Amino acid sequence: MACYQKTLRLSTHQPNEVQDITAQVQQVVAASGVTQGLCAIYTPHATAAIAINENADPAIGTDLLAALRKLIRDHDGWLHDRIDDNAAAHIKSALVGPSETVPIAQGKLLLGTWQNVFFCEFDGPRAERRVIVTVMG
Ligand code: ZN
């Protein structure tokens, strides 16, 4: 089995933000030469996450952030806020999760028509966030 890995670096501009990284991930898959296999997309940050959902209507990313903000309110008595005041960001990251795995066929991510890969920032802005893309085939 071949394994190819690349780290994407991106910067974020808002406290809470989603960025569509589908094109960058697909570029890594193309560079790997793998035609059939799996692509793991992982972010090594405790206040960020990876999600797959629709970006044809960018309002869905905005709605996702709004829903999380309603569910997990800032400064709502969280214990970790005493340490560095970002407990809500950690909880959002834990719920959405740090990774997604997508099958690859004919050298392409097998995403559905309405699926895109999102990097989710919950404690921005940050000058550099990393996403590790591992292609196995
Ligand atoms: Zn913290």
Side-chain angles (χ1 to χ4, degrees):
M1 188 181 78
C3 189
Y4 180 87
Q5 192 170 77
K6 186 166 184 221
T7 300
L8 306 175
R9 291 167 202 281
L10 48 99
S11 55
T12 61
H13 312 284
Q14 305 291 332
N16 287 263
E17 172 181 342
V18 293
Q19 286 188 23
D20 186 340
I21 59 169
T22 312
Q24 295 98 303
V25 174
Q26 182 59 58
Q27 278 170 11
V28 176
V29 172
S32 75
V34 169
T35 54
Q36 189 164 21
L38 287 174
C39 178
I41 305 125
Y42 176 83
T43 190
H45 303 290
T47 55
I50 301 294
I52 293 179
N53 215 291
E54 178 181 328
N55 198 31
D57 178 6
I60 290 176
T62 307
D63 285 344
L64 173 65
L65 295 176
L68 288 169
R69 224 174 0 251
K70 285 184 192 174
L71 279 172
I72 304 128
R73 298 187 181 278
D74 284 335
H75 312 118
D76 199 16
W78 311 119
L79 299 177
H80 180 71
D81 283 341
R82 297 178 202 163
I83 309 288
D84 66 359
D85 207 30
N86 66 352
H90 287 288
I91 298 165
K92 291 173 189 173
S93 167
L95 288 178
V96 177
S99 69
E100 294 285 356
T101 304
V102 181
I104 298 164
Q106 296 176 320
K108 296 226 162 84
L109 295 166
L110 269 186
L111 292 165
T113 306
W114 304 107
Q115 288 183 315
N116 295 78
V117 182
F118 287 122
F119 175 83
C120 305
E121 173 65 81
F122 298 124
D123 195 25
R126 299 288 183 111
E128 184 179 284
R129 290 296 210 177
R130 286 172 293 137
V131 176
I132 300 162
V133 181
T134 306
V135 183
M136 296 150 283

